[in-house]
Amino acid sequence: MYCLGKSIYVVISLCLMAFVVGCNQKSAIEWHDSKEVAIESGLKQEEAERESILSIEEFEGETFVFYEYMGGLGVANIVESEKGYGWKRSQPYNDFEVDGELTYSTSGFDIVTETGVAVSVLIGKTFDSSIQEMKLLGDGTERKLKVYGENGFFYALHKIPSDTIVVSPIIN
């Protein structure tokens, strides 16, 4: 009888945990009346300062916020729906470790927004303070990417896979 009671307790506990996790995932976005308020609220949730914003980018009808936090790069999507505007960061903060004498490093990931837009995000970091811009090739046109902040982050939003993008420093 004791084993049966313990088993029931475990099953009920697991069901309650699944319910709580499921509810939290659906209500994870706090809705606001404007993009600006959603950004302010999102930064507060992340415990980041307004000054940490590197840029706010519009891409394919979506708004993305790039910001620095604790030495890493955060990327959030401002979700728009009939409920209003909300902050959503689906990727962990990104930072780059250096082995050897690299002048820069890159990485990339894909995001599918709440509205179903697929976006590839190229992120990078320079380790040479003389590099202020990067050149991006591969998505149809040559683009210059600004290097932001003390940490030397750069990034780009695009539609093609990140491994087909070529990035190189512009040295003045």
Side-chain angles (χ1 to χ4, degrees), residues 42-69:
L43 290 171
K44 186 175 180 181
Q45 288 173 16
E46 303 286 336
E47 299 179 358
E49 300 295 324
R50 177 77 179 164
E51 298 77 34
S52 67
I53 293 177
L54 300 175
S55 71
I56 299 171
E57 307 283 331
E58 299 291 329
F59 184 78
E60 299 286 320
E62 299 282 340
T63 303
F64 295 90
V65 180
F66 292 85
Y67 62 101
E68 286 184 86
Y69 182 68

PDB file of all heavy atoms in Angstrom, residues 42-69:
ATOM      1  N   GLY A  42      10.731  44.248 -21.642  1.00  0.00           N
ATOM      2  CA  GLY A  42      11.628  43.130 -21.931  1.00  0.00           C
ATOM      3  C   GLY A  42      13.009  43.331 -21.326  1.00  0.00           C
ATOM      4  O   GLY A  42      13.583  42.407 -20.745  1.00  0.00           O
ATOM      5  N   LEU A  43      13.532  44.548 -21.453  1.00  0.00           N
ATOM      6  CA  LEU A  43      14.833  44.833 -20.856  1.00  0.00           C
ATOM      7  C   LEU A  43      14.780  44.668 -19.340  1.00  0.00           C
ATOM      8  O   LEU A  43      15.719  44.147 -18.724  1.00  0.00           O
ATOM      9  CB  LEU A  43      15.292  46.241 -21.222  1.00  0.00           C
ATOM     10  CG  LEU A  43      15.694  46.449 -22.684  1.00  0.00           C
ATOM     11  CD1 LEU A  43      15.907  47.933 -22.966  1.00  0.00           C
ATOM     12  CD2 LEU A  43      16.947  45.650 -23.029  1.00  0.00           C
ATOM     13  N   LYS A  44      13.681  45.096 -18.742  1.00  0.00           N
ATOM     14  CA  LYS A  44      13.523  44.957 -17.291  1.00  0.00           C
ATOM     15  C   LYS A  44      13.499  43.477 -16.905  1.00  0.00           C
ATOM     16  O   LYS A  44      14.133  43.073 -15.939  1.00  0.00           O
ATOM     17  CB  LYS A  44      12.243  45.664 -16.838  1.00  0.00           C
ATOM     18  CG  LYS A  44      12.073  45.705 -15.355  1.00  0.00           C
ATOM     19  CD  LYS A  44      10.843  46.520 -14.971  1.00  0.00           C
ATOM     20  CE  LYS A  44      10.694  46.556 -13.466  1.00  0.00           C
ATOM     21  NZ  LYS A  44       9.504  47.323 -13.066  1.00  0.00           N
ATOM     22  N   GLN A  45      12.763  42.657 -17.680  1.00  0.00           N
ATOM     23  CA  GLN A  45      12.721  41.209 -17.435  1.00  0.00           C
ATOM     24  C   GLN A  45      14.120  40.600 -17.523  1.00  0.00           C
ATOM     25  O   GLN A  45      14.462  39.700 -16.757  1.00  0.00           O
ATOM     26  CB  GLN A  45      11.833  40.509 -18.462  1.00  0.00           C
ATOM     27  CG  GLN A  45      10.374  40.728 -18.314  1.00  0.00           C
ATOM     28  CD  GLN A  45       9.610  40.133 -19.500  1.00  0.00           C
ATOM     29  OE1 GLN A  45      10.129  39.327 -20.273  1.00  0.00           O
ATOM     30  NE2 GLN A  45       8.364  40.544 -19.647  1.00  0.00           N
ATOM     31  N   GLU A  46      14.892  41.091 -18.487  1.00  0.00           N
ATOM     32  CA  GLU A  46      16.240  40.556 -18.710  1.00  0.00           C
ATOM     33  C   GLU A  46      17.258  41.148 -17.727  1.00  0.00           C
ATOM     34  O   GLU A  46      18.415  40.747 -17.741  1.00  0.00           O
ATOM     35  CB  GLU A  46      16.696  40.871 -20.144  1.00  0.00           C
ATOM     36  CG  GLU A  46      15.796  40.363 -21.233  1.00  0.00           C
ATOM     37  CD  GLU A  46      15.877  38.874 -21.454  1.00  0.00           C
ATOM     38  OE1 GLU A  46      16.910  38.269 -21.112  1.00  0.00           O
ATOM     39  OE2 GLU A  46      14.909  38.317 -21.985  1.00  0.00           O
ATOM     40  N   GLU A  47      16.812  42.134 -16.954  1.00  0.00           N
ATOM     41  CA  GLU A  47      17.690  42.863 -16.034  1.00  0.00           C
ATOM     42  C   GLU A  47      18.808  43.577 -16.785  1.00  0.00           C
ATOM     43  O   GLU A  47      19.952  43.625 -16.351  1.00  0.00           O
ATOM     44  CB  GLU A  47      18.237  41.935 -14.954  1.00  0.00           C
ATOM     45  CG  GLU A  47      17.152  41.330 -14.096  1.00  0.00           C
ATOM     46  CD  GLU A  47      17.669  40.384 -13.034  1.00  0.00           C
ATOM     47  OE1 GLU A  47      18.896  40.146 -12.958  1.00  0.00           O
ATOM     48  OE2 GLU A  47      16.835  39.869 -12.280  1.00  0.00           O
ATOM     49  N   ALA A  48      18.451  44.117 -17.956  1.00  0.00           N
ATOM     50  CA  ALA A  48      19.386  44.872 -18.785  1.00  0.00           C
ATOM     51  C   ALA A  48      18.963  46.342 -18.789  1.00  0.00           C
ATOM     52  O   ALA A  48      17.798  46.662 -18.568  1.00  0.00           O
ATOM     53  CB  ALA A  48      19.398  44.325 -20.213  1.00  0.00           C
ATOM     54  N   GLU A  49      19.907  47.210 -19.045  1.00  0.00           N
ATOM     55  CA  GLU A  49      19.648  48.651 -19.065  1.00  0.00           C
ATOM     56  C   GLU A  49      19.277  49.102 -20.476  1.00  0.00           C
ATOM     57  O   GLU A  49      19.662  48.482 -21.463  1.00  0.00           O
ATOM     58  CB  GLU A  49      20.898  49.409 -18.603  1.00  0.00           C
ATOM     59  CG  GLU A  49      21.355  49.060 -17.202  1.00  0.00           C
ATOM     60  CD  GLU A  49      20.348  49.455 -16.145  1.00  0.00           C
ATOM     61  OE1 GLU A  49      19.699  50.514 -16.301  1.00  0.00           O
ATOM     62  OE2 GLU A  49      20.200  48.694 -15.170  1.00  0.00           O
ATOM     63  N   ARG A  50      18.579  50.212 -20.569  1.00  0.00           N
ATOM     64  CA  ARG A  50      18.214  50.800 -21.872  1.00  0.00           C
ATOM     65  C   ARG A  50      19.478  51.085 -22.694  1.00  0.00           C
ATOM     66  O   ARG A  50      19.483  50.935 -23.907  1.00  0.00           O
ATOM     67  CB  ARG A  50      17.400  52.081 -21.636  1.00  0.00           C
ATOM     68  CG  ARG A  50      17.016  52.818 -22.890  1.00  0.00           C
ATOM     69  CD  ARG A  50      15.883  52.145 -23.584  1.00  0.00           C
ATOM     70  NE  ARG A  50      15.530  52.919 -24.785  1.00  0.00           N
ATOM     71  CZ  ARG A  50      14.796  52.453 -25.742  1.00  0.00           C
ATOM     72  NH1 ARG A  50      14.292  51.247 -25.671  1.00  0.00           N
ATOM     73  NH2 ARG A  50      14.523  53.178 -26.798  1.00  0.00           N
ATOM     74  N   GLU A  51      20.557  51.487 -22.028  1.00  0.00           N
ATOM     75  CA  GLU A  51      21.813  51.808 -22.704  1.00  0.00           C
ATOM     76  C   GLU A  51      22.473  50.572 -23.326  1.00  0.00           C
ATOM     77  O   GLU A  51      23.395  50.691 -24.126  1.00  0.00           O
ATOM     78  CB  GLU A  51      22.808  52.459 -21.733  1.00  0.00           C
ATOM     79  CG  GLU A  51      22.342  53.779 -21.161  1.00  0.00           C
ATOM     80  CD  GLU A  51      21.299  53.644 -20.041  1.00  0.00           C
ATOM     81  OE1 GLU A  51      21.355  52.661 -19.259  1.00  0.00           O
ATOM     82  OE2 GLU A  51      20.412  54.501 -19.982  1.00  0.00           O
ATOM     83  N   SER A  52      22.010  49.388 -22.958  1.00  0.00           N
ATOM     84  CA  SER A  52      22.608  48.166 -23.501  1.00  0.00           C
ATOM     85  C   SER A  52      22.133  47.878 -24.928  1.00  0.00           C
ATOM     86  O   SER A  52      22.707  47.029 -25.607  1.00  0.00           O
ATOM     87  CB  SER A  52      22.290  46.968 -22.605  1.00  0.00           C
ATOM     88  OG  SER A  52      20.912  46.671 -22.628  1.00  0.00           O
ATOM     89  N   ILE A  53      21.094  48.583 -25.398  1.00  0.00           N
ATOM     90  CA  ILE A  53      20.596  48.361 -26.758  1.00  0.00           C
ATOM     91  C   ILE A  53      21.642  48.833 -27.767  1.00  0.00           C
ATOM     92  O   ILE A  53      22.090  49.970 -27.725  1.00  0.00           O
ATOM     93  CB  ILE A  53      19.260  49.099 -27.000  1.00  0.00           C
ATOM     94  CG1 ILE A  53      18.157  48.493 -26.136  1.00  0.00           C
ATOM     95  CG2 ILE A  53      18.877  49.026 -28.479  1.00  0.00           C
ATOM     96  CD1 ILE A  53      16.826  49.213 -26.254  1.00  0.00           C
ATOM     97  N   LEU A  54      22.020  47.931 -28.665  1.00  0.00           N
ATOM     98  CA  LEU A  54      22.944  48.274 -29.743  1.00  0.00           C
ATOM     99  C   LEU A  54      22.169  48.818 -30.931  1.00  0.00           C
ATOM    100  O   LEU A  54      22.579  49.792 -31.552  1.00  0.00           O
ATOM    101  CB  LEU A  54      23.770  47.057 -30.149  1.00  0.00           C
ATOM    102  CG  LEU A  54      24.620  46.448 -29.032  1.00  0.00           C
ATOM    103  CD1 LEU A  54      25.292  45.171 -29.505  1.00  0.00           C
ATOM    104  CD2 LEU A  54      25.640  47.445 -28.526  1.00  0.00           C
ATOM    105  N   SER A  55      21.055  48.173 -31.284  1.00  0.00           N
ATOM    106  CA  SER A  55      20.186  48.684 -32.346  1.00  0.00           C
ATOM    107  C   SER A  55      18.854  47.958 -32.321  1.00  0.00           C
ATOM    108  O   SER A  55      18.719  46.878 -31.745  1.00  0.00           O
ATOM    109  CB  SER A  55      20.845  48.558 -33.719  1.00  0.00           C
ATOM    110  OG  SER A  55      20.911  47.217 -34.122  1.00  0.00           O
ATOM    111  N   ILE A  56      17.887  48.595 -32.968  1.00  0.00           N
ATOM    112  CA  ILE A  56      16.570  48.007 -33.184  1.00  0.00           C
ATOM    113  C   ILE A  56      16.408  47.926 -34.697  1.00  0.00           C
ATOM    114  O   ILE A  56      16.501  48.929 -35.393  1.00  0.00           O
ATOM    115  CB  ILE A  56      15.463  48.867 -32.545  1.00  0.00           C
ATOM    116  CG1 ILE A  56      15.690  48.952 -31.027  1.00  0.00           C
ATOM    117  CG2 ILE A  56      14.086  48.290 -32.867  1.00  0.00           C
ATOM    118  CD1 ILE A  56      14.785  49.939 -30.316  1.00  0.00           C
ATOM    119  N   GLU A  57      16.229  46.709 -35.204  1.00  0.00           N
ATOM    120  CA  GLU A  57      16.211  46.465 -36.651  1.00  0.00           C
ATOM    121  C   GLU A  57      14.842  45.977 -37.098  1.00  0.00           C
ATOM    122  O   GLU A  57      14.216  45.153 -36.427  1.00  0.00           O
ATOM    123  CB  GLU A  57      17.245  45.384 -37.010  1.00  0.00           C
ATOM    124  CG  GLU A  57      18.650  45.637 -36.503  1.00  0.00           C
ATOM    125  CD  GLU A  57      19.396  46.668 -37.309  1.00  0.00           C
ATOM    126  OE1 GLU A  57      19.109  46.807 -38.508  1.00  0.00           O
ATOM    127  OE2 GLU A  57      20.282  47.311 -36.735  1.00  0.00           O
ATOM    128  N   GLU A  58      14.395  46.465 -38.241  1.00  0.00           N
ATOM    129  CA  GLU A  58      13.174  45.981 -38.889  1.00  0.00           C
ATOM    130  C   GLU A  58      13.603  45.044 -40.022  1.00  0.00           C
ATOM    131  O   GLU A  58      14.496  45.375 -40.797  1.00  0.00           O
ATOM    132  CB  GLU A  58      12.366  47.137 -39.465  1.00  0.00           C
ATOM    133  CG  GLU A  58      11.890  48.141 -38.426  1.00  0.00           C
ATOM    134  CD  GLU A  58      10.827  47.606 -37.491  1.00  0.00           C
ATOM    135  OE1 GLU A  58      10.030  46.734 -37.910  1.00  0.00           O
ATOM    136  OE2 GLU A  58      10.799  48.044 -36.325  1.00  0.00           O
ATOM    137  N   PHE A  59      12.977  43.860 -40.089  1.00  0.00           N
ATOM    138  CA  PHE A  59      13.313  42.893 -41.132  1.00  0.00           C
ATOM    139  C   PHE A  59      12.080  42.053 -41.431  1.00  0.00           C
ATOM    140  O   PHE A  59      11.509  41.427 -40.525  1.00  0.00           O
ATOM    141  CB  PHE A  59      14.476  41.998 -40.674  1.00  0.00           C
ATOM    142  CG  PHE A  59      14.951  41.044 -41.720  1.00  0.00           C
ATOM    143  CD1 PHE A  59      15.780  41.478 -42.753  1.00  0.00           C
ATOM    144  CD2 PHE A  59      14.586  39.712 -41.679  1.00  0.00           C
ATOM    145  CE1 PHE A  59      16.223  40.599 -43.723  1.00  0.00           C
ATOM    146  CE2 PHE A  59      15.022  38.823 -42.653  1.00  0.00           C
ATOM    147  CZ  PHE A  59      15.844  39.267 -43.674  1.00  0.00           C
ATOM    148  N   GLU A  60      11.668  42.031 -42.704  1.00  0.00           N
ATOM    149  CA  GLU A  60      10.531  41.221 -43.146  1.00  0.00           C
ATOM    150  C   GLU A  60       9.284  41.498 -42.299  1.00  0.00           C
ATOM    151  O   GLU A  60       8.537  40.573 -41.950  1.00  0.00           O
ATOM    152  CB  GLU A  60      10.882  39.729 -43.094  1.00  0.00           C
ATOM    153  CG  GLU A  60      12.034  39.317 -43.979  1.00  0.00           C
ATOM    154  CD  GLU A  60      11.672  39.272 -45.446  1.00  0.00           C
ATOM    155  OE1 GLU A  60      10.568  38.814 -45.774  1.00  0.00           O
ATOM    156  OE2 GLU A  60      12.513  39.688 -46.263  1.00  0.00           O
ATOM    157  N   GLY A  61       9.082  42.757 -41.926  1.00  0.00           N
ATOM    158  CA  GLY A  61       7.910  43.128 -41.142  1.00  0.00           C
ATOM    159  C   GLY A  61       8.011  42.804 -39.664  1.00  0.00           C
ATOM    160  O   GLY A  61       7.036  42.946 -38.930  1.00  0.00           O
ATOM    161  N   GLU A  62       9.166  42.368 -39.215  1.00  0.00           N
ATOM    162  CA  GLU A  62       9.392  42.023 -37.816  1.00  0.00           C
ATOM    163  C   GLU A  62      10.385  43.008 -37.196  1.00  0.00           C
ATOM    164  O   GLU A  62      11.222  43.572 -37.898  1.00  0.00           O
ATOM    165  CB  GLU A  62       9.962  40.606 -37.683  1.00  0.00           C
ATOM    166  CG  GLU A  62       9.075  39.519 -38.221  1.00  0.00           C
ATOM    167  CD  GLU A  62       7.932  39.153 -37.289  1.00  0.00           C
ATOM    168  OE1 GLU A  62       8.014  39.453 -36.072  1.00  0.00           O
ATOM    169  OE2 GLU A  62       6.957  38.562 -37.774  1.00  0.00           O
ATOM    170  N   THR A  63      10.310  43.182 -35.894  1.00  0.00           N
ATOM    171  CA  THR A  63      11.225  44.059 -35.169  1.00  0.00           C
ATOM    172  C   THR A  63      12.131  43.209 -34.288  1.00  0.00           C
ATOM    173  O   THR A  63      11.646  42.344 -33.538  1.00  0.00           O
ATOM    174  CB  THR A  63      10.444  45.066 -34.292  1.00  0.00           C
ATOM    175  OG1 THR A  63       9.555  45.807 -35.125  1.00  0.00           O
ATOM    176  CG2 THR A  63      11.395  46.013 -33.578  1.00  0.00           C
ATOM    177  N   PHE A  64      13.446  43.462 -34.375  1.00  0.00           N
ATOM    178  CA  PHE A  64      14.431  42.747 -33.567  1.00  0.00           C
ATOM    179  C   PHE A  64      15.245  43.747 -32.766  1.00  0.00           C
ATOM    180  O   PHE A  64      15.613  44.807 -33.270  1.00  0.00           O
ATOM    181  CB  PHE A  64      15.367  41.920 -34.467  1.00  0.00           C
ATOM    182  CG  PHE A  64      14.649  40.819 -35.186  1.00  0.00           C
ATOM    183  CD1 PHE A  64      14.085  41.033 -36.430  1.00  0.00           C
ATOM    184  CD2 PHE A  64      14.523  39.567 -34.609  1.00  0.00           C
ATOM    185  CE1 PHE A  64      13.405  40.028 -37.099  1.00  0.00           C
ATOM    186  CE2 PHE A  64      13.839  38.549 -35.269  1.00  0.00           C
ATOM    187  CZ  PHE A  64      13.284  38.786 -36.522  1.00  0.00           C
ATOM    188  N   VAL A  65      15.535  43.386 -31.527  1.00  0.00           N
ATOM    189  CA  VAL A  65      16.343  44.225 -30.651  1.00  0.00           C
ATOM    190  C   VAL A  65      17.646  43.471 -30.378  1.00  0.00           C
ATOM    191  O   VAL A  65      17.624  42.318 -29.937  1.00  0.00           O
ATOM    192  CB  VAL A  65      15.611  44.517 -29.318  1.00  0.00           C
ATOM    193  CG1 VAL A  65      16.475  45.386 -28.415  1.00  0.00           C
ATOM    194  CG2 VAL A  65      14.260  45.166 -29.579  1.00  0.00           C
ATOM    195  N   PHE A  66      18.761  44.136 -30.666  1.00  0.00           N
ATOM    196  CA  PHE A  66      20.091  43.594 -30.370  1.00  0.00           C
ATOM    197  C   PHE A  66      20.636  44.376 -29.187  1.00  0.00           C
ATOM    198  O   PHE A  66      20.640  45.607 -29.210  1.00  0.00           O
ATOM    199  CB  PHE A  66      21.019  43.749 -31.580  1.00  0.00           C
ATOM    200  CG  PHE A  66      20.633  42.885 -32.737  1.00  0.00           C
ATOM    201  CD1 PHE A  66      19.688  43.302 -33.661  1.00  0.00           C
ATOM    202  CD2 PHE A  66      21.211  41.635 -32.897  1.00  0.00           C
ATOM    203  CE1 PHE A  66      19.321  42.506 -34.725  1.00  0.00           C
ATOM    204  CE2 PHE A  66      20.850  40.823 -33.966  1.00  0.00           C
ATOM    205  CZ  PHE A  66      19.902  41.258 -34.885  1.00  0.00           C
ATOM    206  N   TYR A  67      21.103  43.660 -28.160  1.00  0.00           N
ATOM    207  CA  TYR A  67      21.569  44.341 -26.956  1.00  0.00           C
ATOM    208  C   TYR A  67      22.669  43.529 -26.274  1.00  0.00           C
ATOM    209  O   TYR A  67      22.779  42.320 -26.459  1.00  0.00           O
ATOM    210  CB  TYR A  67      20.400  44.596 -25.989  1.00  0.00           C
ATOM    211  CG  TYR A  67      19.727  43.332 -25.494  1.00  0.00           C
ATOM    212  CD1 TYR A  67      20.007  42.830 -24.241  1.00  0.00           C
ATOM    213  CD2 TYR A  67      18.828  42.634 -26.298  1.00  0.00           C
ATOM    214  CE1 TYR A  67      19.402  41.667 -23.780  1.00  0.00           C
ATOM    215  CE2 TYR A  67      18.216  41.481 -25.854  1.00  0.00           C
ATOM    216  CZ  TYR A  67      18.510  41.006 -24.596  1.00  0.00           C
ATOM    217  OH  TYR A  67      17.922  39.852 -24.145  1.00  0.00           O
ATOM    218  N   GLU A  68      23.481  44.244 -25.515  1.00  0.00           N
ATOM    219  CA  GLU A  68      24.557  43.617 -24.755  1.00  0.00           C
ATOM    220  C   GLU A  68      24.061  43.319 -23.351  1.00  0.00           C
ATOM    221  O   GLU A  68      23.343  44.119 -22.759  1.00  0.00           O
ATOM    222  CB  GLU A  68      25.760  44.556 -24.640  1.00  0.00           C
ATOM    223  CG  GLU A  68      26.558  44.703 -25.907  1.00  0.00           C
ATOM    224  CD  GLU A  68      27.785  45.571 -25.700  1.00  0.00           C
ATOM    225  OE1 GLU A  68      28.822  45.035 -25.285  1.00  0.00           O
ATOM    226  OE2 GLU A  68      27.671  46.778 -25.946  1.00  0.00           O
ATOM    227  N   TYR A  69      24.449  42.164 -22.843  1.00  0.00           N
ATOM    228  CA  TYR A  69      24.122  41.830 -21.459  1.00  0.00           C
ATOM    229  C   TYR A  69      25.207  40.934 -20.885  1.00  0.00           C
ATOM    230  O   TYR A  69      25.487  39.866 -21.445  1.00  0.00           O
ATOM    231  CB  TYR A  69      22.758  41.143 -21.370  1.00  0.00           C
ATOM    232  CG  TYR A  69      22.360  40.820 -19.959  1.00  0.00           C
ATOM    233  CD1 TYR A  69      22.063  41.837 -19.053  1.00  0.00           C
ATOM    234  CD2 TYR A  69      22.318  39.516 -19.509  1.00  0.00           C
ATOM    235  CE1 TYR A  69      21.717  41.549 -17.751  1.00  0.00           C
ATOM    236  CE2 TYR A  69      21.971  39.215 -18.209  1.00  0.00           C
ATOM    237  CZ  TYR A  69      21.669  40.231 -17.328  1.00  0.00           C
ATOM    238  OH  TYR A  69      21.339  39.952 -16.028  1.00  0.00           O
TER     239      TYR A  69
END
